[in-house]
Amino acid sequence: MAVIVTVEIPGGTEETYRRTTEQITSAPWFPMPGFLAHAAGPDGSGGWRVVDFWESEAAFQAFAEKARPIFEEMGMPPVMPKVDEAVQVILNP
């Protein structure tokens, strides 16, 4: 079952997001199996929001384990992602 993963990062900035994303996307293990799509932007209240689509929660958890050291190195605060079932994910072919 596909899932929508939403991460709210209070005080997150575009600069930190871009540096972190550069590290992740250049890692030899990226993209991880099960990764479908990613979007991010300001959350409207001074923080940053990340929304990912994964084939399963297990696929997302495997990614999170690999990415955790990068998040820590970049000084990102620990956050609890919200995982919801996706009834449908439509990708642009």
Side-chain angles (χ1 to χ4, degrees):
M1 155 189 52
V3 295
I4 304 163
V5 179
T6 306
V7 179
E8 302 284 347
I9 306 166
T13 66
E14 182 174 354
E15 178 186 347
T16 301
Y17 165 76
R18 288 192 183 279
R19 286 191 349 243
T20 303
T21 301
E22 183 178 310
Q23 292 289 319
I24 289 171
T25 58
S26 65
W29 44 261
F30 186 85
M32 295 280 294
F35 173 71
L36 298 175
H38 170 89
D43 67 6
S45 63
W48 203 255
R49 177 180 296 123
V50 175
V51 179
D52 282 353
F53 295 85
W54 289 86
E55 288 180 356
S56 68
E57 186 170 356
F60 166 70
Q61 293 296 340
F63 161 76
E65 286 301 313
K66 290 269 193 187
R68 183 170 284 115
I70 294 172
F71 295 146
E72 290 171 355
E73 178 184 325
M74 293 293 128
M76 297 195 55
V79 294
M80 180 61 77
K82 182 177 182 241
V83 179
D84 295 296
E85 176 183 347
V87 173
Q88 183 174 15
V89 178
I90 300 173
L91 300 173
N92 186 7

